[in-house]
Amino acid sequence: MALYEKIKEIAENDGVEFVGVADLTPAREFIQNYAQDMLDSYPKAITLGIRLLDDVVNPLTLKEEKAVAVNYLHAYEITNQRLDIISYKISNFLQKEGFRVLPIPASKRCDDERIAALFSHKLAAHLAGIGWIGKSCLLISPEAGPRVRWITVLTDAPLEATGTPLEDSCGDCSKCVDICPVNAFSGRPFKANEPRESRYDAHKCEKYFEDLEKSGEMPVCGLCIHVCPHGQK
């Protein structure tokens, strides 16, 4: 069995719905802003995604209700845990085959100043041809919109890219921008040569969650995920 087909089999047997491979070299400059020289060791990325349940996301306009918030937060956390476990299964397989691997946790911050992880999961999915990066700075897939949690396995395995970045299909839609309770999005479309900060103020989100906790509410939002028309199909 070909290497990619085996990876896909492992992933899909554990419930992963989106599997792809990205060649990271076109994004070298962007990636080096996160981790210098990473591509010298890991020029490819395996991207894995699991869709969130619609009946967990759909009620998010009522997120002040504890049951809605609890269900969403639990789904978010358990999906991240599933992805972490699956990424290690694939990493162990590739290591046994003699390749270098570095699984990037699904949701762990490494840069407190930028409020960012070591590597952008949505960038890997974007380069693998699974979707485009929307005005919400989330990966938008034609099948599920932004209702997907992602994880990445970096590797030097000789894998072919599964696609190229999809064209932005957000058009004039600005629902994610308009619904944000703290106006964290500028509404600018994604451009690879522009910093994330030109589109998204992560510190506004951070403070919003902190304020929710201080007021006794659960730190849950997800309105930009809920409202996207591509996820509501």
Side-chain angles (χ1 to χ4, degrees), residues 28-195:
R28 174 175 288 275
E29 183 176 348
F30 177 87
I31 292 169
Q32 284 182 325
N33 289 331
Y34 282 78
Q36 287 189 337
D37 303 323
M38 179 181 286
L39 297 190
D40 293 339
S41 299
Y42 312 105
K44 301 291 176 63
I46 300 163
T47 181
L48 310 164
I50 295 178
R51 180 172 181 157
L52 295 170
L53 298 174
D54 287 333
D55 284 352
V56 171
V57 177
N58 289 340
L60 279 174
T61 51
L62 302 174
K63 64 186 181 63
E64 292 81 8
E65 296 182 10
K66 189 169 184 178
V68 172
V70 167
N71 281 343
Y72 180 73
L73 193 59
H74 178 70
Y76 186 93
E77 291 173 347
I78 202 71
T79 304
N80 286 340
Q81 291 170 13
R82 288 177 63 196
L83 287 166
D84 284 330
I85 292 169
I86 296 162
S87 75
Y88 265 81
K89 287 184 180 181
I90 290 171
S91 296
N92 287 334
F93 162 70
L94 287 173
Q95 181 168 275
K96 288 177 182 177
E97 293 294 313
F99 304 112
R100 294 191 65 183
V101 287
L102 181 64
I104 305 297
S107 186
K108 295 293 182 182
R109 184 190 301 178
C110 291
D111 187 332
D112 288 331
E113 183 177 344
R114 298 181 65 187
I115 309 180
L118 175 65
F119 183 85
S120 171
H121 298 305
K122 60 179 175 282
L123 176 66
H126 178 54
L127 293 174
I130 293 176
W132 66 92
I133 297 174
K135 294 172 186 175
S136 61
C137 277
L138 297 172
L139 192 285
I140 313 296
S141 73
E143 301 88 352
R147 299 183 178 208
V148 181
R149 295 298 301 156
W150 300 97
I151 201 165
T152 310
V153 177
L154 301 178
T155 184
D156 65 354
L159 298 164
E160 295 292 328
T162 52
T164 56
L166 297 187
E167 183 178 348
D168 187 323
S169 295
C170 291
D172 295 330
C173 178
S174 62
K175 289 186 175 182
C176 59
V177 178
D178 298 336
I179 202 172
C180 179
V182 291
N183 299 310
F185 307 118
S186 70
R188 292 174 63 87
F190 171 77
K191 292 184 179 179
N193 61 349
E194 291 184 346

Side-chain angles (χ1 to χ4, degrees), residues 189-202:
F190 171 77
K191 292 184 179 179
N193 61 349
E194 291 184 346
R196 183 187 68 167
E197 290 72 23
S198 67
R199 303 181 304 277
Y200 170 55
D201 188 339

